[in-house]
Amino acid sequence: MNIDIEKLLKGMLEAASVGLKNHWPKARDYAENEFRKLLLEAQHIAQLKDDAKITEQEATYLMDLQRNASRAVLLTIEGLGILAVEAAINAALAVVRDTINSAIGGWKIL
Amino acid sequence: MKREGWTPSAAICLCMLIIGLAVSGCTIRLIADFDQKIDDGVTALQKKTGAFLIKLERTCQKPEGAYSNHVSFYDEAKVELSALQVRADAIALNKLTTEQLEKLRDSFEKMESQHKLGFTPIVVAETRNILNSHFTAILKLEVAKKRNLKD
């Protein structure tokens, strides 16, 4: 089986970057590294099956584990995106707080 | 004619909300805080699983590698995963970690079933690689929840 890792990786990264928009740079390194590992692992499993080093049942088992691990990676990327949005909202709130503090004569009551 | 845009009352409500949030000094939380026990528990389980699989890779085709000799590992892993799951469920805004742990538990069940059928060294090695990716994903998210720290 021939899997074009780079082409698939590019597609996965593009899809993930659309979801994370401006916060993508923070997740990019992790996503690229993990997506590449997942694709290489899938390719490796397929190769082992083709070479008759593992049975079809074993390949199915490994792909089931791989699916769970992939889901875990995607959930982490989703979490990194949520954390980035949260940081942006809190930064905006901090600006409001600073502005109000300044407006009332620099008192740090907020 | 109906006027479009913000009504005065909506604008006042928005201002009150923003000022209220600022006055309260609170920060918005969209996802759970870092939990040391989840971090420690997942790290410990990864270490234990890694050691188990490294040994199993050598012994899986010998009598000592038979499933019947390793039931205790799976029992202990189930208990640890269940405890992690309960803790994750009890923390608000933690559904991502909860789902990651559910998937990990499913992988452990599949690993146990495969062990009953019989392992080969190559399948054990692949299992270890895949589970490590899974553990890394859980820990990466947990550490990121510390916020404001470079990871």
Side-chain angles (χ1 to χ4, degrees), chain A residues 41 44 57 71 76 86 90, chain B residues 28 99 114 126 137 147:
Chain A
E41 188 61 39
H44 188 50
Q57 185 277 324
R71 179 70 187 147
T76 292
E86 181 194 280
N90 285 326
Chain B
I28 298 290
E99 190 181 337
Q114 185 63 39
E126 295 301 318
R147 297 168 170 91

Side-chain angles (χ1 to χ4, degrees), chain A residues 30 34 37-38 41 44-45 48 53-54 57-58 61-62 64-66 68-69 71-73 75-76 78-80 82-83 85-86 89-90 93 96-97 100 109-110, chain B residues 18-19 21-23 25-31 95-96 99-100 103 106-107 110-111 114 117 119-120 122-123 126-127 129-130 133-134 137 140-141 144-145 147:
Chain A
Y30 172 73
E34 289 303 313
K37 277 199 306 196
L38 293 169
E41 188 61 39
H44 188 50
I45 292 167
L48 289 171
K53 290 182 177 170
I54 60 173
Q57 185 277 324
E58 289 169 333
Y61 154 73
L62 290 171
D64 282 346
L65 260 58
Q66 183 72 5
N68 282 342
R71 179 70 187 147
V73 168
L75 287 166
T76 292
E78 183 183 341
L80 294 176
I82 292 170
L83 283 163
V85 170
E86 181 194 280
I89 291 171
N90 285 326
L93 281 174
V96 172
R97 196 159 42 235
I100 292 172
I109 64 168
L110 302 184
Chain B
I18 293 170
I19 292 169
L21 287 166
V23 166
C26 69
T27 52
I28 298 290
R29 280 284 185 261
L30 300 178
I31 196 167
K95 73 179 178 67
L96 299 180
E99 190 181 337
Q100 288 178 320
K103 297 291 176 196
D106 182 66
S107 287
K110 286 182 164 63
M111 179 168 71
Q114 185 63 39
L117 292 172
F119 265 135
T120 60
I122 204 160
V123 173
E126 295 301 318
T127 298
N129 287 340
I130 297 169
S133 285
H134 200 140
K140 172 81 179 174
L141 178 57
K145 289 178 195 167
R147 297 168 170 91

Side-chain angles (χ1 to χ4, degrees), chain B residues 58-106:
Chain B
R58 267 188 289 110
T59 61
C60 63
Q61 294 185 311
K62 299 174 184 170
E64 65 194 274
Y67 171 74
S68 58
N69 292 325
H70 296 284
V71 175
S72 61
F73 167 79
Y74 291 103
D75 286 350
E76 287 167 19
K78 275 180 211 166
V79 171
E80 286 165 32
L81 276 165
S82 175
L84 287 167
Q85 188 85 60
V86 167
R87 184 160 181 97
D89 287 350
I91 298 170
L93 302 172
N94 210 24
K95 73 179 178 67
L96 299 180
T97 298
T98 296
E99 190 181 337
Q100 288 178 320
L101 289 167
E102 279 169 12
K103 297 291 176 196
L104 186 62
R105 187 150 69 166
D106 182 66

